[in-house]
Amino acid sequence: MAAVRLPRPHRDDVWIAVAGLLGGLVLWGFGLTLRPGHDPLVRFESHWAVLVPLVVTAGCELLRRSAPRVGLGIGTLALVADLFTRSSIATVVMFTDLLYAAVLYGPASTARRLPWVTGLLSLAGVLVPYAVWREPDALLIGVLAAGVLFAPASTGLIVRNHREAADAALLRAEQTALLAEMDRVQAVTAERARMARELHDLVANHLSAIAIHSTAALSLEDARTSREALSVIRENSVQGLSEMRRLIGILRDGAEDREPAATPTLDGLGVLVENARANGLDVTLDAVHGSVPAPVELAAYRIVQESLTNALKHAAPGRVTVWLRERDDALEIRVTSPYGGRDAPRAPGSGTGLVGMRERAALLHGTFDAGPEDAPDPADGRLWVVRARLPLTDVAQGETR
């Protein structure tokens, strides 16, 4: 049979037990007790009898945190035994502490029941003696019972409620801090994604043109063609460097004292198409629109810009068409380019542009789709089609708010 291991007492409980025991021994040494030996309730008149409940109650103090209900149960028996001796005030005081600890450290059920039980016992201690003896002095028994029983139990309940409220407040504070950290991480992630889209849209077009024309200049031996390619390379490198410096200026600390960069608008699609033509694309622009919210305008411009960049890198020779209309409270965009084999130099792609266009449409609660399909005229073969639909109503309401 395995030996029962007693719970290890808390360090503070050891000090409380030692202090209560020493205090009781000092009182016992001076002969200070609550009742004289000839009291009718005293059954053990020996001066040494007081020490037994005193030592047992002091031992129960070692269990006030680790096993509060066990300590209270044994301490109650020790208090009852102490009633039949001359009684020590130290035993009574340590019992009140055991009752307080049972409510404070014990299970929630014990914390709820003990104040009610002790309150009823205190009330009985007031009513029963007065009903039996009909003397006002009998009311002091109820007052004494309330001081020994109800007062420590109710005090323990009050302290427990305050601790639970403090723990709940601390938990809410930790949850709030965790939510704030999650919001911060999400904000940083969203900002990094936005910066990545802007960087890609600002620079990819120019770098793609540089890559394509530099490949042409290296692969062709015609001096005139090489010179034209180098001219295009220089123009795109200068423009790309300018866009890069502008973006770095926005991100750098102290950027608020810099001249803000102009946000691209749909009115700039003409210039965008002309630059695409200068890079060698055969582009047709068909755009009809009114005044649209700034977020939609920027997203539409970037989608068209990225579509032209992809056409420059991947499209087969042929006409590229940019079509844009405002209908049914939405801005619809359609960019088509020849799809198929290509002998001309092309720049490598990573799919980042399609991801960025899809993200821009999703941020405005719009739709985006891109992929090959058959041309209306079979002679034109297959086309690569980019479609986007950007709602105008929700964005306008959000700006009004």
Side-chain angles (χ1 to χ4, degrees), residues 200 313-314 348-353 355:
H200 179 273
K313 293 191 294 184
H314 307 298
S350 61
T352 307
V355 174

Short mmCIF file of all heavy atoms in Angstrom, two decimals, residues 200 313-314 348-353 355:
data_model
loop_
_atom_site.label_atom_id
_atom_site.label_comp_id
_atom_site.label_asym_id
_atom_site.label_seq_id
_atom_site.Cartn_x
_atom_site.Cartn_y
_atom_site.Cartn_z
N HIS A 200 5.93 47.27 -57.58
CA HIS A 200 5.85 46.49 -58.80
C HIS A 200 5.25 47.30 -59.93
O HIS A 200 5.76 47.31 -61.07
CB HIS A 200 5.03 45.23 -58.54
CG HIS A 200 4.86 44.36 -59.75
ND1 HIS A 200 3.85 44.55 -60.66
CD2 HIS A 200 5.59 43.30 -60.20
CE1 HIS A 200 3.95 43.65 -61.62
NE2 HIS A 200 5.00 42.87 -61.36
N LYS A 313 5.62 41.97 -72.29
CA LYS A 313 6.52 40.87 -71.98
C LYS A 313 6.12 39.56 -72.68
O LYS A 313 6.98 38.79 -73.07
CB LYS A 313 6.56 40.65 -70.46
CG LYS A 313 7.20 41.78 -69.69
CD LYS A 313 7.45 41.40 -68.25
CE LYS A 313 6.16 41.17 -67.49
NZ LYS A 313 6.42 40.89 -66.05
N HIS A 314 4.82 39.32 -72.82
CA HIS A 314 4.39 37.98 -73.20
C HIS A 314 3.54 37.90 -74.47
O HIS A 314 3.41 36.80 -75.02
CB HIS A 314 3.57 37.36 -72.04
CG HIS A 314 4.27 37.38 -70.72
ND1 HIS A 314 5.45 36.72 -70.50
CD2 HIS A 314 3.97 38.01 -69.56
CE1 HIS A 314 5.84 36.92 -69.25
NE2 HIS A 314 4.95 37.70 -68.66
N PRO A 348 11.20 37.70 -68.40
CA PRO A 348 10.62 36.67 -67.53
C PRO A 348 9.53 37.24 -66.64
O PRO A 348 9.57 38.40 -66.25
CB PRO A 348 11.83 36.19 -66.71
CG PRO A 348 12.77 37.35 -66.70
CD PRO A 348 12.61 38.02 -68.05
N GLY A 349 8.56 36.42 -66.32
CA GLY A 349 7.46 36.84 -65.44
C GLY A 349 7.36 35.92 -64.24
O GLY A 349 7.75 34.76 -64.27
N SER A 350 6.80 36.47 -63.12
CA SER A 350 6.66 35.69 -61.88
C SER A 350 5.22 35.54 -61.44
O SER A 350 4.96 34.87 -60.44
CB SER A 350 7.46 36.38 -60.76
OG SER A 350 6.94 37.68 -60.52
N GLY A 351 4.28 36.15 -62.14
CA GLY A 351 2.88 36.08 -61.72
C GLY A 351 2.52 37.11 -60.68
O GLY A 351 1.36 37.17 -60.24
N THR A 352 3.47 37.92 -60.23
CA THR A 352 3.19 38.93 -59.22
C THR A 352 2.20 39.97 -59.71
O THR A 352 1.38 40.47 -58.93
CB THR A 352 4.50 39.61 -58.78
OG1 THR A 352 5.45 38.60 -58.39
CG2 THR A 352 4.27 40.55 -57.62
N GLY A 353 2.28 40.30 -60.98
CA GLY A 353 1.38 41.31 -61.53
C GLY A 353 -0.07 40.89 -61.45
O GLY A 353 -0.96 41.68 -61.08
N VAL A 355 -1.35 38.75 -59.33
CA VAL A 355 -1.72 38.77 -57.91
C VAL A 355 -2.04 40.19 -57.47
O VAL A 355 -3.04 40.43 -56.77
CB VAL A 355 -0.60 38.17 -57.06
CG1 VAL A 355 -0.91 38.32 -55.57
CG2 VAL A 355 -0.39 36.71 -57.39
#
